[in-house]
Amino acid sequence: MSLADCFGALNGLDASDADAIDASLRTCLDAALDPSLWVWTLGLTLACALVGLFVGIAKGRWLAGLLWGAMLGPIGWIVVALSKSGFVECPDCGRRNAPSAKACRHCGVNLRAAAQRSPRADNRRIDRGRGW
């Protein structure tokens, strides 16, 4: 008997028949505690968490992807996919780097020092190389 059948059967019971109510509740409890139901639930949760992990890796937020995917499944995937990227963009070459990177893996610029520069200093550096 499925859980939906159990709850549907509870609606049709006579409230004065305590033995029928007790038997119906035991049947519903047995259906809810069925190990195959929990195996499927655990398997689907793990599959959703893995997909969320891969979406999170693509955004540079693997832990958020794993947790949102495990908690909300496809809705969590969308939340992570639409969230702000965790990657740090290099101010010189514009490519993505890991959030913990100290230097750009593409051009070698010190990311921390570049992040502390003001936009005015960047404009001066760019204009210095140009002539009339």
Side-chain angles (χ1 to χ4, degrees):
M1 180 179 274
S2 72
L3 287 177
D5 295 337
C6 287
F7 294 122
L10 285 174
N11 286 335
L13 287 178
D14 181 22
S16 62
D17 190 6
D19 291 332
I21 292 174
D22 186 45
S24 181
L25 287 175
R26 286 189 192 279
T27 304
C28 290
L29 184 64
D30 290 340
L33 296 177
D34 183 26
S36 65
L37 175 70
W38 290 100
V39 168
W40 275 102
T41 303
L42 183 62
L44 287 174
T45 302
L46 289 175
C48 288
L50 283 176
V51 172
L53 175 69
F54 291 126
V55 172
I57 288 172
K59 293 292 280 188
R61 302 181 65 208
W62 65 270
L63 184 60
L66 180 75
L67 295 177
W68 281 103
M71 288 188 297
L72 297 176
I75 296 171
W77 307 337
I78 294 169
V79 167
V80 174
L82 295 177
S83 68
K84 182 180 175 186
S85 178
F87 289 113
V88 177
E89 187 174 310
C90 176
D92 282 355
C93 68
R95 293 189 174 175
R96 299 183 325 174
N97 292 288
S100 60
K102 294 179 183 175
C104 178
R105 66 182 181 152
H106 304 286
C107 66
V109 168
N110 185 345
L111 293 173
R112 298 219 167 102
Q116 292 175 351
R117 286 193 310 233
S118 68
R120 186 173 177 198
D122 286 338
N123 288 339
R124 280 186 178 171
R125 182 181 51 80
I126 291 169
D127 287 341
R128 220 177 274 145
R130 297 184 189 162
W132 284 90

